[in-house]
């Protein structure tokens, strides 16, 4: 028998956001993150690549990664996040590997979050731009790190034996850009902080003078889809209970 849907936890102490590129968290989730930090939740970012394959100008590739790291740290600060970690994988070339699972598991055991936010591993056929292969790979790798790797003391035993990182069970995962989103967060009151975070990504958004209108319209449609009152803005997620 199908169980009725469970609501996400009303509040948590620590959240870990695991995304593929600098700016991924800001386009899809910065408003939600701002509501969490405003409520006193500690949020940590784990960005798998440095975004060195991004940008819209002739910036040398060896400069793009450091630029995008700096942009992400500034964007994080705009929504109350000070702990930003980069795993240094190559942008655009992520694959589902045991090394990536181990490295995400390591951060989960270090941070010990009650909630993990990541990208959906499912292809979103109606919004193909959301389904960048790196996004899907990070989503699947993170879910595998959540279950079973991070909670199993016998998975990647070197994390415990060499680094002293004990197993940790994550109770809840929020998947962004999911074709089966079932939970919306009203971010109307933190719109200024979300847009400030997005504007920190100069290498990615400065070519688009309509970025504010585009993102706001996108969030307005999401709010309408979830039945929020007229004029509200929302970000949506598929909430998966993993414990």
């Amino acid at each position: 028998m199908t169980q009725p849907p469970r609501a996400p936890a009303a509040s948590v102490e620590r959240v870990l956001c695991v995304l593929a590129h600098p700016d991924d968290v800001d386009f899809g989730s910065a408003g939600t993150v701002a509501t969490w930090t405003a409520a006193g939740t500690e949020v940590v970012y784990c960005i798998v690549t440095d975004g060195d394959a991004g940008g819209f100008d002739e910036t040398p590739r060896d400069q793009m990664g450091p630029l995008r790291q700096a942009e992400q740290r500034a964007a994080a600060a705009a929504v109350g996040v000070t702990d930003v970690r980069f795993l240094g994988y190559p942008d655009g070339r992520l694959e589902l590997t045991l090394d990536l699972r181990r490295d995400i598991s390591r951060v989960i055991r270090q941070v010990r979050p009650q909630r993990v936010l990541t990208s959906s591993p499912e292809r979103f056929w109606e919004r193909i731009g959301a389904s960048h292969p790196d996004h899907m790979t990070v989503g699947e790798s993170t879910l595998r790190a959540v279950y079973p790797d991070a909670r199993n003391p016998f998975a990647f035993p070197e994390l415990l034996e060499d680094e002293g990182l004990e197993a940790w069970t994550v109770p809840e995962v929020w998947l962004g850009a999911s074709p089966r989103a079932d939970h919306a967060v009203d971010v109307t009151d933190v719109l200024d902080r979300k847009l400030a975070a997005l504007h920190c990504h100069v290498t990615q958004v400065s070519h688009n003078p309509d970025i504010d209108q585009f993102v706001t319209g996108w969030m307005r449609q999401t709010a309408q889809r979830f039945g929020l009152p007229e004029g509200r803005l929302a970000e949506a997620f598929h909430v998966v209970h993993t414990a």
Side-chain angles (χ1 to χ4, degrees):
M1 185 175 69
T2 303
Q3 297 295 319
R6 293 165 55 192
S11 63
V12 297
E13 295 179 4
R14 294 177 303 281
V15 175
L16 174 64
C17 301
V18 186
L19 285 306
H21 313 109
D23 82 15
D24 287 347
V25 66
D26 298 299
F27 271 102
S29 312
T32 297
V33 170
T35 67
W36 290 340
T37 59
T41 298
E42 177 188 353
V43 179
V44 176
Y45 288 175
C46 175
I47 311 300
V48 174
T49 80
D50 294 344
D52 53 284
F56 296 90
D57 58 24
E58 299 304 314
T59 301
R61 290 301 97 185
D62 62 343
Q63 296 178 23
M64 183 58 73
L67 274 173
R68 295 198 68 187
Q69 281 199 23
E71 290 173 349
Q72 183 62 87
R73 291 192 175 95
V79 292
V81 175
T82 58
D83 189 343
V84 183
R85 310 179 188 193
F86 295 90
L87 298 186
Y89 280 76
D91 183 4
R93 290 177 281 165
L94 292 181
E95 296 291 348
L96 185 61
T97 65
L98 289 173
D99 283 349
L100 181 54
R101 284 170 56 177
R102 181 202 60 228
D103 290 348
I104 296 172
S105 297
R106 174 185 290 110
V107 180
I108 290 173
R109 292 190 186 189
Q110 290 170 339
V111 176
R112 303 173 78 79
Q114 292 90 16
R115 177 180 295 155
V116 165
L117 184 154
T118 190
S119 45
S120 174
E122 296 183 80
R123 192 174 300 281
F124 200 154
W125 294 108
E126 289 75 25
R127 275 183 53 207
I128 196 68
S131 300
H132 188 294
D134 283 357
H135 298 176
M136 297 169 64
T137 298
V138 167
E140 181 62 36
S141 300
T142 302
L143 284 166
R144 294 187 187 198
V146 167
Y147 177 78
D149 300 336
R151 70 183 63 185
N152 181 359
F154 306 108
F156 302 115
E158 64 273 20
L159 295 180
L160 178 59
E161 294 170 5
D162 299 340
E163 302 178 39
L165 296 172
E166 296 186 358
W168 177 258
T169 298
V170 177
E172 202 175 270
V173 175
W174 289 33
L175 302 173
S178 171
R180 59 182 79 204
D182 57 6
H183 180 68
V185 177
D186 188 327
V187 299
T188 314
D189 297 338
V190 292
L191 174 63
D192 57 337
R193 298 182 71 187
K194 178 184 175 78
L195 295 180
L198 275 174
H199 282 282
C200 290
H201 296 284
V202 176
T203 61
Q204 309 306 301
V205 305
S206 60
H207 69 290
N208 184 357
D210 300 321
I211 188 67
D212 289 4
Q213 294 88 335
F214 170 75
V215 171
T216 303
W218 182 13
M219 294 190 295
R220 185 175 295 113
Q221 291 179 7
T222 299
Q224 292 171 350
R225 190 168 78 250
F226 280 86
L228 274 65
E230 184 70 25
R232 305 305 288 179
L233 307 172
E235 295 171 342
F237 306 89
H238 179 199
V239 178
V240 180
H241 296 275
T242 48

